[in-house]
Amino acid sequence: HGDYLRRRVERYRRGRPLEAAPTERITKGHLLWKLNNSSNHIFFGVIDYFLEPFIPYYSLRRAYEPVLLSFEIGNFIHLWMVNDTVHEITGRVFVGRFDPQANRMAQQFELPFTIAPNESKVLTDLNRFGQFKKNHILYAYAVADDGRRVAESIDYVDIERHMRFPTDGHIAIAVDDGCLVLQS
């Protein structure tokens, strides 16, 4: 449910460029109709009857960040960036493809970006990765020139139920300066 909502919101926020004016984006907005459940049973809400957030709440929270990176996955894979702030942002975006079976980053690259206020555009495609199996995880993050990480995106190429993850994973648990640290 969280992935579905996140993908829909990302799609609406990206919009589609006008053919006559490619710097202007067309988006008709987005209204989240089912925010909470009306009684204390499991349904499709984002927060429960007691106003406790479900997992989709956190997916939506990430999807509504002012600066958004999102993958458009179709016959080709494109990385989009949306800037809904009032400032131009410049920096570098880092893109990678993670192989969960090998437990390593299979390929990665970085490139500079500049995005104007209220702009949505394709930063790059992933053709430089060549052909690869759909059981990989895509990862991208953007760092502004002042060193701030302004956006991050993690997405599956295929749907989650088709993904195969290693079965021999171990989780180490520790407490470090009052914080619970989980490491896998």
Side-chain angles (χ1 to χ4, degrees):
H1 184 221
D3 276 345
Y4 172 79
L5 287 175
R6 177 188 56 82
R7 286 176 189 251
R8 294 289 57 100
V9 170
E10 287 177 353
R11 164 63 188 92
Y12 302 143
R13 287 193 60 203
R14 287 191 307 250
R16 290 289 182 220
L18 286 170
E19 293 173 5
T23 60
E24 188 176 346
R25 70 178 177 186
I26 299 173
T27 182
K28 294 183 167 93
H30 178 254
L31 172 65
L32 182 63
W33 186 258
K34 187 69 176 165
L35 181 64
N36 66 338
N37 295 325
S38 55
S39 62
N40 57 352
H41 68 280
I42 297 172
F43 200 65
F44 289 104
V46 176
I47 57 176
D48 70 6
Y49 178 78
F50 303 103
L51 302 181
E52 293 293 325
F54 290 132
I55 292 172
Y57 168 84
Y58 299 101
S59 298
L60 282 172
R61 189 171 159 187
R62 285 189 296 272
Y64 281 119
E65 289 287 329
V67 180
L68 174 73
L69 280 175
S70 72
F71 291 100
E72 180 182 23
I73 301 171
N75 291 333
F76 296 93
I77 301 173
H78 295 94
L79 178 63
W80 285 73
M81 186 173 226
V82 177
N83 180 9
D84 282 334
T85 69
V86 296
H87 305 289
E88 179 178 89
I89 303 172
T90 60
R92 300 197 67 74
V93 66
F94 300 85
V95 184
R97 179 174 63 88
F98 183 79
D99 182 353
Q101 291 299 317
N103 194 26
R104 66 175 177 81
M105 194 64 77
Q107 290 175 298
Q108 52 192 353
F109 66 91
E110 66 179 87
L111 58 115
F113 73 88
T114 299
I115 188 160
N118 195 33
E119 184 180 20
S120 172
K121 68 179 181 178
V122 174
L123 290 181
T124 186
D125 58 40
L126 284 106
N127 291 345
R128 67 182 75 189
F129 286 161
Q131 290 186 346
F132 58 89
K133 293 184 179 181
K134 292 174 85 174
N135 66 341
H136 288 184
I137 299 169
L138 302 175
Y139 177 67
Y141 66 95
V143 177
D145 285 338
D146 61 5
R148 292 177 300 124
R149 187 178 284 212
V150 293
E152 180 178 47
S153 180
I154 300 171
D155 209 346
Y156 302 120
V157 179
D158 202 357
I159 57 178
E160 185 179 1
R161 72 171 180 257
H162 292 164
M163 298 293 294
R164 297 293 174 253
F165 295 96
T167 57
D168 59 347
H170 303 284
I171 296 178
I173 302 172
V175 176
D176 182 22
D177 196 25
C179 292
L180 179 64
V181 178
L182 303 174
Q183 189 174 23
S184 67

